[in-house]
Amino acid sequence: MIRLSKNKSALLGAAILLLFTIASVFAPLLATHPINEMNYGESLAGPSSSHFLGTDEFGRDLFSRILYGGRVSLLMGLVVVSIAGTVGVLLGVIAGYFRKIDIFIMQCVDVLLALPSLLLAIVIVAILGVGLTNAMIAVAIAVIPSFVRVVRGSVLSVRESEYVEAARALGVKNHKIIFKHILPNIASPIIILATLEFGSAILAAASLSFLGLGAQPPNPEWGALVYVGKSFLSQAWWMTVFPGLCIMLVVLGFNLLGDGLRDALDPRLKL
C-alpha cells in the first residue's frame, strides 16, 4: 500500500474511479430530472443551467441519463469480471496443476484466442440474442482466455516450489495445496489482471451497445447513449461527447490503477 500511495498515476486512476462510483451510487440524489421525462420543447438543447449537459432528441436531461448510465456500465464491468475471473481462475488452476487436462483446456483457449475479443463477443451475442444480459455473458466468455493464460502460467511456476513439493511429500491433498499454498501466492497477478480487464470489459460492453447488440433504448447505458448521439452529431455534439468522455475516463482510471497495482505487487519491481 505504501508503494501504491506513492504512485501518482495510480492515485489519479483511483480518484477518477471513486468519483464515478460515487456519482453512480448516488445517481437518484444527484439527478436533476427523471431519466425518461420527455420535453419536446427542449429537444436538442445545449448545456445550460437547467440542463448541465444538454438534452437529447426527446428533450430528456442528458446529465441524469449519464448518471444512471454509469450504474449500468459499472455493473456490466463488475458482472463480466466476476464471471470471467471465477471461470478463468478455475480453469487456469486446473490446467496448471493437473498436467493431463492442460492440453485439452489450452487447446480450447487457443481456439477462443484465435478471434479478437470484440469479434468473439459479437458472434456470441448473435447466437444468444440481443440484450444487456447476453452482452455481459458474451464479453465474459471473450475475457475468460486472458484469465486462464495468466493463472496457468502463475500456477506452473508456483507448483514446482519447495513448499508445494513438501506438502505433496507430507500427503496433503491436492485441493488443500491449491487453496492454501497456490492461490494465495498467485493472487497478485489475478488482482492486477482483474483491474485491467474491468476497464476493457466496460469498453467492450459499450462497443456492443454502440453496435446495437447490448443495452437497448431507452436504457441509459453509455455505449447506447453514444450510439443514439451519433445521428445528431452535427446538431447536438454533447449527446456523443459527454457519454464517450465518461467511457474514456473510466477505462483510463482502471488502466492507471492496474498499472499502479502491478508496480506495487510485482516482487520483481521491488528489487
Side-chain angles (χ1 to χ4, degrees):
M1 291 300 295
I2 297 177
R3 287 173 57 86
L4 185 63
S5 64
K6 294 180 180 180
N7 191 316
K8 295 182 180 179
S9 297
L11 292 179
L12 176 60
I16 293 173
L17 296 178
L18 181 62
L19 175 63
F20 276 94
T21 301
I22 292 175
S24 299
V25 171
F26 294 101
L29 300 177
L30 299 175
T32 56
H33 297 77
I35 59 173
N36 289 318
E37 182 182 63
M38 299 183 184
N39 185 354
Y40 290 99
E42 295 184 334
S43 61
L44 300 180
S48 63
S49 57
S50 57
H51 299 284
F52 300 144
L53 302 181
T55 62
D56 62 9
E57 73 277 21
F58 297 113
R60 296 174 296 191
D61 182 68
L62 191 59
F63 175 73
S64 301
R65 290 180 64 77
I66 286 178
L67 286 176
Y68 277 89
R71 284 184 154 193
V72 178
S73 294
L74 292 174
L75 178 62
M76 290 177 72
L78 179 61
V79 171
V80 167
V81 171
S82 299
I83 296 174
T86 302
V87 177
V89 169
L90 177 62
L91 293 177
V93 169
I94 293 174
Y97 191 81
F98 301 101
R99 303 296 293 156
K100 294 182 180 180
I101 314 177
D102 181 34
I103 296 177
F104 173 74
I105 293 178
M106 295 313 298
Q107 284 179 343
C108 295
V109 169
D110 289 338
V111 171
L112 294 177
L113 289 173
L115 291 174
S117 57
L118 182 58
L119 180 58
L120 177 60
I122 292 174
V123 172
I124 296 172
V125 170
I127 296 173
L128 298 178
V130 174
L132 185 62
T133 302
N134 290 341
M136 288 189 289
I137 295 173
V139 176
I141 294 174
V143 173
I144 286 175
S146 299
F147 280 92
V148 175
R149 290 178 68 91
V150 170
V151 173
R152 173 183 175 270
S154 300
V155 172
L156 286 175
S157 61
V158 173
R159 72 187 296 270
E160 304 300 333
S161 301
E162 293 180 356
Y163 55 87
V164 174
E165 293 291 343
R168 286 201 198 98
L170 292 172
V172 180
K173 295 182 179 180
N174 288 328
H175 69 276
K176 290 186 177 181
I177 293 176
I178 290 173
F179 284 102
K180 290 186 176 181
H181 300 289
I182 293 181
L183 282 178
N185 286 285
I186 64 170
S188 295
I190 295 175
I191 293 172
I192 295 168
L193 180 62
T195 304
L196 294 173
E197 290 294 344
F198 206 117
S200 300
I202 291 176
L203 184 59
S207 299
L208 289 179
S209 297
F210 178 80
L211 295 173
L213 301 175
Q216 301 296 305
N219 199 353
E221 193 268 339
W222 288 341
L225 293 178
V226 174
Y227 170 74
V228 173
K230 71 179 179 59
S231 302
F232 303 92
L233 191 58
S234 60
Q235 302 168 267
W237 55 267
W238 49 88
M239 289 180 61
T240 302
V241 171
F242 289 131
L245 188 62
C246 290
I247 296 173
M248 185 200 75
L249 288 175
V250 169
V251 174
L252 175 64
F254 277 110
N255 288 340
L256 292 176
L257 181 58
D259 288 340
L261 287 173
R262 182 197 60 197
D263 295 340
L265 298 177
D266 193 336
R268 292 170 298 181
L269 298 177
K270 295 179 182 180
L271 298 177

